[in-house]
Amino acid sequence: LNVVLVAGNSGCNQNQVAVVVETPAHSALAGPLTYRHERALEPGTLLRVPLGRRTTAGLSWPATTGAPDGVELRAVVEAFDALPALGAQWCALVEFAARYYQRGIGEVALAVLPPELRRLGAAQLAQRVARLRKAAAEAPPPHADEPAPAPTAAQGDALARLAELPRSAPALLHGLTGSGKTEVYLRSAERALTAGRQALVLVPEINLTPQLEARFAARFGGRRIVSLHSALTPAQRLRAWLLAHLGLADLVLGTRLAVFAPLPRLGLIVVDEEHDPSYKQQEGARYSARDLAVWRGRQLGVPVLLGSATPSLESWQRALDGRYAHVALPARVGDAALPTVRLFDLNRLPRGEAPALAPPIIDAVRARVERGEQALLLLNRRGYAPVLHCTNCGWKSACAHCSAWRVFHKVDRTLRCHHCGAQQRVPRHCPDCGNADIAPIGRGTERLEEQLAALLPGARIGRIDADTTRRAGALQARLAEVHAGDIDVLVGTQMVAKGHDFRRVTLVAAVNPDSALFASDFRAAERLFALLMQAAGRAGRDRAFSASSEMWLQTWHPQHALFAALRAHDYDAFAAAQLAERRAAGMPPFAHLALLRTDARSADAAQAFLHDAASAAATLPGADAVMVYPPVPLAVARVAGIERMQMLVESASRPALQRLLAAWQPALQALRSRHRTVQRWAIDVDPHAI
Ligand SMILES: [Zn+2]
Ligand SMILES: [Zn+2]
């Protein structure tokens, strides 16, 4: 039997070791467990320890308080000495993330390690480490880095500003698409590498790592560059992580997970496209990699460079307050012109269903095709049509398990739910009245592609969205076709707006930007503006074509302030207007938010849990500094038969909110016994959407 606490004194001449282990959500909040071991262990040593009837992976942790006298402790089974300890600073990063985002320390610590690390035995791990060290020792010394192109005047100014900053001051590098932010990253990295340090470069999407890796590899030929992201095989991920941790990799490029990479010589953190929502983890510990990067830089006294053409309003406000240095790159490299932004007022069209594209936009696309240039059409909705309906009785293709429509995919004649994944054949007749005339409403990328093919006979039309890029390598292949000029018109979702350097695109058109204009989410306008600015940045990157580059928007709301700011390429004006609204409404960055989300079999059960949670919050010390709003269903309330509700918690003070959340946890755990039909609950701190 596994009796952990037994009075006795047999273990008294051994060392007590604090250990964190991975435990199910919400049970590990009490912090590290205490074990004994024959010698003291450095913080962050990988271990195997007994837990109940099994053994599990753990990490030694900076000691807090020891076990009380007279308690017999269980012994550590095995310490993996071949792997250097992760160290106190890494432990501090994890502990901060766990505390701030309301998760268990062990849960976060073990979740961010490569899974392969826990699968391997001590001997296998020792062998891997030895092999990497041997290969590094035998590798030829790094040859001189490629000579960098001379910086533009603006880049030179930006680099001079960055060099003057105190090391721990984060800098917001604010530059339009095409203004040469990457060159500033490269030169900042060069400075860190020359000083013998490592550089960590975070990017929002896995798809953007290959091209950035190519840029870095071209500049830093002899350096070891590794990528860390979730699409690697377990063995690749372990190898990259080990190279980072052993200090053998000089540059680590990665997605949000890489913010936890142990880097013993870290000297620079770059967060590219810092506004991108993908930096926020959406399950488990819902951390923001950008915010953790800033924390990590402060902790280590290492510069953090946040780059964006459209900074998040949080970062922008910090720059306005002077908490971040604002470093601007005002012009595009080579003075390539920004595209002219044109609006088409859909109200000018005769009544009836709007065409795929307004006539002047079709003419503009046709002109590009005839001149051998390229056009990019942005429609943030995949599938053929968002819903099918019966013209006789009004039946619509609702999902049986979700409060959402099933999307019509014509290519395989299916109706698919984009929330639960349920899929069915398109019915031949209306399931309610038997009418054979069921028709699509609205438009997705698949339908737009079909309509364009009809409008532009002979044009080569390509589509990039989650459906056409599911196969490994499909996205790279499609992008290569665009780069080679084998595609005249590219239709895509927001996937195409990000980062890709299309040299011959001179027209970008947003087909349905209105859908985000009046969304209930307070960040919808910020996201739409960033997406459209980024999409506009795809046009005219090559100076030879930049004079003719245009962005077209077809909208029912041409007077909207967002479009006026976009036409003027005026981020500052847009941000000022948004910040004024946020301040008036008491929204971030002027208030701090958390959500308590819950999933249950019924909406009543979810609501009852949240009501009790609110009552519990009201009794906690400091509750008067925090506002708890009534429970509401999520925008898509039911997914796969589960009802989802949430409750907003808000405070003008971040510490007050943090105090309340920490005190709330035990109360929420206690509520579970009274709410057995609640499947799970989770706290989302600094949520991205509410
Ligand atoms: Zn019908
Ligand atoms: Zn569904």
Side-chain angles (χ1 to χ4, degrees):
L1 274 174
N2 293 277
V3 181
V4 181
L5 303 178
V6 176
N9 57 6
S10 58
C12 62
N13 55 358
Q14 289 206 317
N15 290 282
Q16 291 194 357
V17 183
V19 177
V20 297
V21 294
E22 191 171 37
T23 46
H26 310 306
S27 63
L29 294 163
L33 308 171
T34 309
Y35 289 85
R36 63 186 163 84
H37 192 58
E38 65 255 21
R39 58 193 170 75
L41 291 170
E42 279 198 61
T45 304
L46 185 65
L47 307 170
R48 211 176 296 284
V49 294
L51 187 71
R53 290 161 186 273
R54 60 196 174 98
T55 58
T56 187
L59 287 169
S60 63
W61 212 249
T64 42
T65 49
D69 278 353
V71 165
E72 182 162 327
L73 300 169
R74 300 182 78 181
V76 168
V77 175
E78 188 174 27
F80 291 72
D81 295 311
L83 186 73
L86 293 157
Q89 284 172 325
W90 186 86
C91 294
L93 171 69
V94 165
E95 200 162 324
F96 169 78
R99 197 173 60 238
Y100 186 82
Y101 294 105
Q102 304 293 319
R103 306 300 292 201
I105 297 173
E107 182 196 0
V108 175
L110 287 133
V112 301
L113 295 180
E116 196 75 348
L117 209 52
R118 278 179 278 169
R119 207 186 56 77
L120 295 179
Q124 291 168 300
L125 190 56
Q127 195 186 42
R128 299 276 199 293
V129 170
R131 211 185 290 154
L132 289 175
R133 286 207 158 115
K134 182 157 178 277
E138 288 169 356
H143 51 79
D145 299 332
E146 288 291 304
T152 62
Q155 286 167 343
D157 290 349
L159 287 161
R161 283 272 336 265
L162 290 172
E164 285 163 10
L165 292 176
R167 291 190 66 79
S168 60
L172 181 62
L173 181 65
H174 181 202
L176 293 164
T177 311
S179 63
K181 288 191 292 292
T182 307
E183 182 60 31
V184 176
Y185 302 156
L186 285 162
R187 285 184 172 258
S188 302
E190 184 182 11
R191 190 181 299 148
L193 299 186
T194 308
R197 310 291 288 268
Q198 292 169 297
L200 171 64
V201 180
L202 299 179
V203 290
E205 297 231 349
I206 294 167
N207 298 328
L208 298 177
T209 53
Q211 59 181 18
L212 198 64
E213 188 169 347
R215 287 275 311 260
F216 276 86
R219 181 69 60 86
F220 304 112
R223 308 284 192 163
R224 192 172 281 110
I225 302 174
V226 297
S227 289
L228 261 179
H229 51 74
S230 59
L232 300 176
T233 65
Q236 289 170 330
R237 188 168 152 200
L238 177 67
R239 182 177 177 278
W241 185 90
L242 282 173
L243 287 168
H245 175 44
L246 298 171
L248 300 174
D250 296 309
L251 271 156
V252 175
L253 307 180
T255 50
R256 60 175 178 258
L257 186 73
V259 77
F260 290 105
L263 295 153
R265 298 185 282 117
L266 183 60
L268 171 74
I269 307 178
V270 173
V271 184
D272 189 25
E273 309 290 0
E274 66 88 30
H275 64 279
D276 198 292
S278 348
Y279 284 120
K280 181 85 156 78
Q281 167 82 9
Q282 291 299 342
E283 56 195 26
R286 292 167 175 244
Y287 63 86
S288 156
R290 179 206 50 216
D291 294 351
L292 288 180
V294 170
W295 191 91
R296 193 174 182 184
R298 283 232 169 86
Q299 175 206 25
L300 298 174
V302 159
V304 177
L305 199 49
L306 307 172
S308 179
T310 50
S312 65
L313 291 172
E314 279 82 358
S315 297
W316 185 244
Q317 182 61 37
R318 285 182 189 170
L320 294 175
D321 290 346
R323 282 182 286 167
Y324 291 175
H326 180 234
V327 180
L329 281 175
R332 291 184 117 180
V333 171
D335 293 321
L338 285 165
T340 308
V341 176
R342 300 185 198 283
L343 297 178
F344 181 84
D345 181 356
L346 287 167
N347 298 292
R348 286 167 47 199
L349 292 174
R351 288 198 169 274
E353 195 184 359
L357 288 174
I361 304 182
I362 298 170
D363 292 343
V365 174
R366 190 176 289 125
R368 296 315 187 281
V369 175
E370 283 165 3
R371 290 206 297 265
E373 297 169 10
Q374 293 171 313
L376 193 164
L377 269 52
L378 186 67
L379 177 58
N380 224 354
R381 187 188 265 163
R382 66 190 172 89
Y384 187 84
V387 62
L388 276 188
H389 89 138
C390 167
T391 52
N392 182 40
C393 76
W395 168 88
K396 287 191 176 63
S397 56
C399 178
H401 315 297
C402 308
S403 44
W405 306 120
R406 284 194 182 163
V407 175
F408 175 37
H409 288 254
K410 191 176 180 183
V411 64
D412 54 2
R413 308 274 322 159
T414 56
L415 291 174
R416 289 185 227 161
C417 176
H418 289 183
H419 297 275
C420 71
Q423 187 169 328
Q424 71 190 95
R425 298 279 305 159
V426 169
R428 286 179 188 283
H429 305 281
C430 169
D432 283 1
C433 75
N435 173 25
D437 190 14
I438 45 182
I441 309 180
R443 183 175 300 110
T445 46
E446 201 187 317
R447 191 177 194 184
L448 179 60
E449 182 188 23
E450 181 186 279
Q451 288 169 324
L452 279 168
L455 286 166
L456 303 165
R460 296 162 302 174
I461 297 164
R463 172 160 64 96
I464 289 183
D465 57 28
D467 297 315
T468 62
T469 56
R470 201 152 281 150
R471 215 164 26 77
L475 175 63
Q476 300 309 332
R478 192 57 56 91
L479 290 172
E481 285 177 4
V482 180
H483 289 299
D486 295 338
I487 286 179
D488 301 313
V489 183
L490 179 63
V491 175
T493 55
Q494 60 177 358
M495 284 175 83
V496 298
K498 293 189 180 182
H500 304 293
D501 193 0
F502 300 131
R503 307 310 297 195
R504 295 171 71 85
V505 168
T506 59
L507 172 75
V508 172
V511 176
N512 184 16
D514 290 353
S515 55
L517 274 187
F518 303 101
S520 61
D521 179 6
F522 73 98
R523 276 186 229 269
E526 180 183 351
R527 289 218 183 106
L528 176 63
F529 188 79
L531 177 67
L532 295 178
M533 282 281 277
Q534 209 159 18
R538 300 303 113 217
R541 299 195 64 155
D542 200 316
R543 196 180 174 187
F545 298 109
S546 73
S548 63
S549 69
E550 287 179 323
M551 178 180 213
W552 274 93
L553 305 159
Q554 52 178 20
T555 172
W556 298 99
H557 306 280
Q559 308 308 323
H560 200 285
L562 187 148
F563 294 133
L566 193 70
R567 288 181 87 158
H569 302 281
D570 192 347
Y571 168 83
D572 297 27
F574 172 76
Q578 282 290 309
L579 284 170
E581 279 181 28
R582 298 269 188 98
R583 193 189 290 274
M587 281 291 175
F590 305 104
H592 306 282
L593 307 181
L595 286 174
L596 175 60
R597 298 174 183 270
T598 188
D599 291 358
R601 282 276 165 212
S602 75
D604 285 349
Q607 194 161 17
F609 174 81
L610 292 176
H611 272 302
D612 283 359
S615 305
T619 66
L620 296 173
D624 49 342
V626 175
M627 177 82 182
V628 178
Y629 287 85
V632 290
L634 263 67
V636 176
R638 193 162 52 100
V639 168
I642 299 298
E643 298 289 341
R644 311 184 305 164
M645 290 196 108
Q646 65 185 29
M647 192 161 72
L648 181 64
V649 185
E650 179 210 275
S651 178
S653 153
R654 197 191 290 277
L657 180 62
Q658 282 285 317
R659 266 197 306 279
L660 181 107
L661 295 177
W664 209 11
Q665 287 278 5
L668 293 173
Q669 286 169 56
L671 280 180
R672 290 205 84 170
S673 57
R674 276 198 279 141
H675 294 272
R676 296 202 177 274
T677 54
V678 166
Q679 294 196 322
R680 67 181 138 247
W681 56 270
I683 291 176
D684 187 352
V685 182
D686 304 334
H688 257 230
I690 61 169

Coordinates of all heavy atoms in Angstrom, one line a residue, residues 110 128 186 231 259 298 306 344 378 425 434 489 491 511 521 529 536 573 648 652 679:
L110 N 5.2 20.3 -17.0 CA 5.4 19.1 -17.8 C 4.7 19.2 -19.2 O 5.2 18.6 -20.1 CB 4.9 17.9 -17.0 CG 6.0 17.6 -15.9 CD1 5.3 17.4 -14.6 CD2 6.9 16.5 -16.3
R128 N 21.2 10.3 -26.3 CA 20.8 11.4 -27.2 C 21.6 12.7 -26.9 O 22.1 13.4 -27.8 CB 19.3 11.8 -27.0 CG 18.3 10.7 -27.2 CD 18.0 10.6 -28.7 NE 16.7 9.9 -29.0 CZ 16.5 8.6 -28.8 NH1 17.5 7.9 -28.3 NH2 15.4 8.1 -29.0
L186 N 17.0 40.6 -37.8 CA 18.3 40.0 -38.2 C 19.5 40.7 -37.5 O 20.4 40.0 -37.0 CB 18.5 39.9 -39.7 CG 17.6 38.9 -40.5 CD1 17.5 39.3 -41.9 CD2 18.1 37.5 -40.3
A231 N 4.1 21.0 -35.2 CA 4.0 20.1 -36.3 C 5.3 19.2 -36.5 O 5.4 18.4 -37.4 CB 3.8 20.9 -37.6
V259 N 8.1 29.8 -26.3 CA 8.4 30.8 -25.3 C 9.0 30.1 -24.0 O 9.7 30.7 -23.2 CB 7.2 31.7 -25.0 CG1 6.2 31.0 -24.1 CG2 7.7 33.0 -24.3
R298 N 12.1 40.7 -19.0 CA 12.3 41.5 -17.8 C 13.1 40.8 -16.8 O 14.0 41.3 -16.1 CB 11.0 41.9 -17.2 CG 10.3 43.0 -18.0 CD 9.9 44.2 -17.0 NE 9.5 45.3 -17.8 CZ 8.2 45.5 -18.3 NH1 7.3 44.6 -18.0 NH2 8.0 46.6 -19.0
L306 N 9.0 43.6 -30.0 CA 7.7 43.2 -30.4 C 7.4 43.9 -31.7 O 7.4 45.1 -31.8 CB 6.6 43.6 -29.4 CG 6.8 43.2 -27.9 CD1 5.8 43.9 -27.0 CD2 6.7 41.7 -27.8
F344 N -16.1 50.0 -52.5 CA -17.2 50.0 -53.4 C -18.4 49.9 -52.5 O -18.6 49.0 -51.6 CB -17.2 48.8 -54.3 CG -18.4 48.8 -55.2 CD1 -18.4 49.5 -56.4 CD2 -19.6 48.1 -54.9 CE1 -19.6 49.6 -57.2 CE2 -20.7 48.1 -55.7 CZ -20.7 48.9 -56.8
L378 N -9.8 38.0 -50.7 CA -9.9 37.6 -49.3 C -11.3 37.4 -48.9 O -12.1 38.3 -49.0 CB -9.2 38.7 -48.4 CG -9.0 38.4 -47.0 CD1 -8.0 37.3 -46.7 CD2 -8.6 39.6 -46.3
R425 N -24.1 13.7 -46.0 CA -24.3 13.9 -47.4 C -25.4 15.0 -47.5 O -26.3 15.1 -46.7 CB -24.8 12.6 -48.1 CG -23.9 11.5 -48.0 CD -22.8 11.6 -49.1 NE -23.3 11.7 -50.4 CZ -22.7 12.1 -51.5 NH1 -21.4 12.6 -51.3 NH2 -23.2 12.1 -52.7
G434 N -39.8 17.7 -48.2 CA -39.6 16.9 -49.4 C -39.4 17.7 -50.6 O -39.2 17.1 -51.7
V489 N -5.2 34.4 -60.0 CA -6.1 34.9 -59.0 C -6.1 33.9 -57.8 O -6.4 32.8 -58.0 CB -7.5 35.1 -59.5 CG1 -8.4 35.7 -58.5 CG2 -7.5 36.0 -60.8
V491 N -7.7 32.9 -54.3 CA -8.8 33.1 -53.3 C -8.4 32.5 -52.0 O -7.9 31.4 -52.0 CB -10.1 32.4 -53.9 CG1 -11.2 32.5 -52.9 CG2 -10.5 33.0 -55.2
V511 N -13.7 40.6 -49.9 CA -15.0 40.4 -50.4 C -16.2 40.6 -49.4 O -17.2 41.1 -49.8 CB -15.1 38.9 -51.0 CG1 -16.5 38.6 -51.5 CG2 -14.0 38.7 -52.1
D521 N -17.9 40.8 -30.2 CA -16.6 40.8 -29.5 C -15.9 42.1 -29.6 O -15.8 42.7 -30.7 CB -15.8 39.7 -30.2 CG -14.4 39.6 -29.6 OD1 -14.1 40.2 -28.6 OD2 -13.6 38.8 -30.2
F529 N -9.2 45.3 -38.7 CA -8.3 46.3 -39.2 C -6.9 45.7 -39.4 O -6.2 45.9 -40.4 CB -8.1 47.5 -38.1 CG -7.4 48.7 -38.6 CD1 -7.9 49.6 -39.5 CD2 -6.0 48.8 -38.3 CE1 -7.2 50.6 -40.0 CE2 -5.3 49.9 -38.8 CZ -5.9 50.8 -39.6
A536 N -3.6 44.3 -47.2 CA -3.2 45.3 -48.1 C -1.7 45.3 -48.3 O -1.2 45.5 -49.4 CB -3.6 46.7 -47.5
A573 N -4.5 56.8 -36.1 CA -5.9 57.3 -36.0 C -6.9 56.2 -35.5 O -7.7 56.4 -34.7 CB -6.3 57.9 -37.3
L648 N -18.1 36.8 -17.1 CA -17.0 37.7 -17.2 C -16.7 38.3 -15.8 O -17.6 38.7 -15.1 CB -17.4 38.8 -18.1 CG -16.4 39.9 -18.4 CD1 -15.1 39.4 -19.1 CD2 -17.0 41.1 -19.2
A652 N -10.5 47.0 -12.5 CA -9.6 48.0 -13.0 C -8.1 47.7 -12.5 O -7.2 48.3 -13.0 CB -10.0 49.4 -12.4
Q679 N -19.3 19.3 -16.6 CA -18.2 18.5 -17.1 C -16.8 19.1 -16.8 O -15.9 18.4 -16.5 CB -18.4 18.3 -18.6 CG -19.6 17.5 -18.9 CD -19.6 16.9 -20.3 OE1 -19.1 17.6 -21.2 NE2 -20.0 15.7 -20.5

